[in-house]
Amino acid sequence: MNKMKLKTTMTAMPLLLAGMNTQAGILDPALEDAIAGMNPGEKVDVIIRCTDPLDSASVAPEDLIPALKNKAKACQTSFSNAMKDITVEQQDNLWIINGIAATVPVASLNGLVHRAGVDVIYLNETVELPPEPVLTGAPGNPPQTYWNISEIRATDLWALDHYGTGVVVATMDSGVDANHADIGPRWRNGSNSWYDPNGQHATPFDASGHGTGVMGVIVGGNAGGFDMGVAPDAQWISVKIFNDQGQSDLAKIHQGFQWLLDPDNNGSTDDAPHIVNSSWVLQGTEGECLGEFAADIATLRTAGIAVVFSAGNSGHKSDTSMEPANDPGSLSVGAIDSSRRVLRTSSRGPSACDGGIYPKIAAPGKDVLTAGLTSGGANDTSYAFSTGTSFAAPHVAGAMAVLKSAFPGATMAQIESAISDGALDLGAFGPDNDTGAGLVDMVGAYLLLSSSNPP
């Protein structure tokens, strides 16, 4: 695995994206720098993108996956033939971006980049799990409903019997500890409900606790005597994009997005999630628009899946939007405390991609009570106080799940608009680059949806 600084490689991404749809393939400048001192026989992890990627917006949702796979066939065939004569340790089909991930000898790169249909070859870069404080400890005697749940007015929708029933929420994170009494019963279960592209765990597992804390905010129950999750009746599935050492790479994240489109690899079944929560960013990308996952996000949105991202923890200055949260298709979430003040560390806009408001909305992200690791089930009601935008984003994912259960006929795009338009404005009048549209207000969104989607 290439363990270069992500920022070094990713800053070259605008160059490679600018080369899309050209006739001559290129080696990304960062890849050229990386191999300059390597021996011809040494191997390097790369992603090969082919020309003419599918515009997902031009395809009907029901035809999306077949169209993506058909588009990628030419790319796959060309490189399968080319790689027969070279030693390839790993080759993964990334049909979601019309590409391939492979580990190939340095000496073969020049030949590969000149094959017909090649757009660009670049490093399959390492991605690190965001470092955020998780203060593990017993909750003591908290109120029945902790501050963060009341703050977004989830209990008001619970009073109307809307808890997220029938909605599936996915996370892309460090995994999930399904031994937790507040989380395990809400797993959808089955091979189409868990995916580990690192190949370490066939069933749900979490080494760091990050993903478990995120999931607790979304669907956690009240086994400990207090309400923890925003959508306690929703079901969850998950992609463990980060391995047990807290690392991933670009290709594994693409594989995760790809799996979410069709978890059971059977186009005749409808088992994709309604919402995907991603509480991670590409470290070192403050104020940059790189577009590595732009196609993935656009494809999920075409499929009717909402994409929620944590805004990142690189504040307090402006122009600290981060990838991929600053992609126009992402619903980026900043963090506030119990006094409705934006966290100093919460990343600010404007977005480096489109100059728009960033983050798009805000949610509780300071001392949020959520699930902790259970030590293999030994303590199945373990809890933690967590801080950061990673734990703000799942409030929005959970809110969308509750609203979807209240308005089954509403599209996720309509629900996302209602979340933004119904938010409680904070600070100066109107959207701003500290808290976006404001604090998520589930009642405000509910009232907007009621006007066009009778519950």
Side-chain angles (χ1 to χ4, degrees):
M1 184 178 289
N2 307 295
K3 296 183 179 179
M4 299 178 65
K5 289 184 178 179
L6 182 65
K7 188 171 182 179
T8 302
T9 298
M10 297 299 292
T11 50
M13 199 64 69
L15 294 177
L16 71 89
L17 292 176
M20 287 290 188
N21 299 315
T22 58
Q23 296 300 311
I26 63 169
L27 291 180
D28 178 63
L31 174 58
E32 292 185 317
D33 290 343
I35 64 176
M38 297 175 66
N39 296 323
E42 290 186 76
K43 293 183 173 61
V44 61
D45 299 331
V46 298
I47 293 178
I48 304 165
R49 290 203 189 219
C50 293
T51 56
D52 192 29
L54 181 74
D55 177 8
S56 59
S58 67
V59 181
E62 62 271 19
D63 298 326
L64 183 59
I65 294 174
L68 286 165
K69 290 183 176 180
N70 287 334
K71 172 67 73 172
K73 278 183 179 179
C75 183
Q76 297 163 31
T77 301
S78 175
F79 284 98
S80 293
N81 293 334
M83 291 177 180
K84 288 178 181 178
D85 298 326
I86 62 178
T87 304
V88 179
E89 292 182 0
Q90 181 78 18
Q91 182 177 339
D92 295 307
N93 177 17
L94 304 179
W95 47 261
I96 193 170
I97 60 168
N98 195 27
I100 293 170
T103 303
V104 300
V106 170
S108 303
L109 289 172
N110 193 52
L112 291 174
V113 80
H114 285 96
R115 289 192 66 85
V118 176
D119 180 28
V120 64
I121 302 178
Y122 59 100
L123 280 170
N124 179 20
E125 195 60 75
T126 300
V127 180
E128 303 284 345
L129 183 66
E132 289 187 312
V134 179
L135 308 177
T136 304
N141 295 304
Q144 174 66 29
T145 302
Y146 209 60
W147 79 270
N148 55 302
I149 300 297
S150 299
E151 187 72 350
I152 63 172
R153 303 178 73 184
T155 51
D156 291 295
L157 266 65
W158 294 352
L160 299 176
D161 202 30
H162 302 306
Y163 296 91
T165 306
V167 180
V168 178
V169 184
T171 58
M172 300 180 74
D173 216 294
S174 64
V176 184
D177 186 345
N179 291 308
H180 202 288
D182 287 301
I183 294 176
R186 291 151 182 83
W187 183 38
R188 188 174 67 180
N189 214 326
S191 59
N192 69 338
S193 300
W194 173 257
Y195 176 49
D196 180 3
N198 299 284
Q200 293 180 318
H201 300 280
T203 55
F205 180 84
D206 183 11
S208 78
H210 187 275
T212 298
V214 167
M215 189 64 78
V217 176
I218 301 174
V219 302
N222 59 0
F226 55 89
D227 298 316
M228 184 172 64
V230 179
D233 280 0
Q235 289 185 306
W236 64 267
I237 65 176
S238 187
V239 181
K240 189 183 188 306
I241 55 173
F242 295 100
N243 63 22
D244 292 349
Q245 292 70 46
Q247 291 186 330
S248 185
D249 60 47
L250 301 178
K252 289 184 176 64
I253 298 174
H254 285 301
Q255 288 176 290
F257 279 117
Q258 188 167 281
W259 179 82
L260 289 167
L261 284 171
D262 187 14
D264 66 353
N265 198 29
N266 182 351
S268 64
T269 58
D270 182 11
D271 61 344
H274 298 90
I275 305 145
V276 176
N277 185 91
S278 291
S279 288
W280 52 271
V281 294
L282 298 182
Q283 298 298 321
T285 62
E286 295 87 347
E288 298 181 29
C289 182
L290 310 174
E292 174 65 29
F293 299 106
D296 307 73
I297 293 168
T299 299
L300 262 64
R301 288 181 64 88
T302 296
I305 301 170
V307 184
V308 180
F309 266 94
S310 57
N313 302 295
S314 293
H316 63 286
K317 295 180 179 179
S318 60
D319 296 308
T320 51
S321 74
M322 303 185 75
E323 281 280 339
N326 58 12
D327 184 274
S330 298
L331 179 55
S332 53
V333 185
I336 62 162
D337 63 17
S338 57
S339 298
R340 297 182 177 173
R341 296 173 299 194
V342 61
L343 267 61
R344 179 179 175 85
T345 54
S346 185
S347 290
R348 274 108 162 136
S351 167
C353 287
D354 62 1
I357 294 296
Y358 183 94
K360 292 182 178 177
I361 200 162
K366 173 70 173 176
D367 296 333
V368 172
L369 184 58
T370 186
L373 294 178
T374 69
S375 300
N379 181 10
D380 66 356
T381 53
S382 172
Y383 300 100
F385 289 97
S386 303
T387 293
T389 61
S390 279
F391 304 98
H395 286 85
V396 177
M400 297 181 87
V402 172
L403 291 165
K404 179 65 175 176
S405 70
F407 302 97
T411 66
M412 294 314 304
Q414 289 173 325
I415 291 173
E416 182 176 334
S417 294
I419 285 277
S420 295
D421 295 343
L424 176 65
D425 194 13
L426 301 176
F429 179 75
D432 58 67
N433 286 311
D434 290 327
T435 57
L439 171 65
V440 58
D441 180 347
M442 293 172 64
V443 173
Y446 180 89
L447 292 174
L448 289 174
L449 289 165
S450 295
S451 63
S452 56
N453 297 272

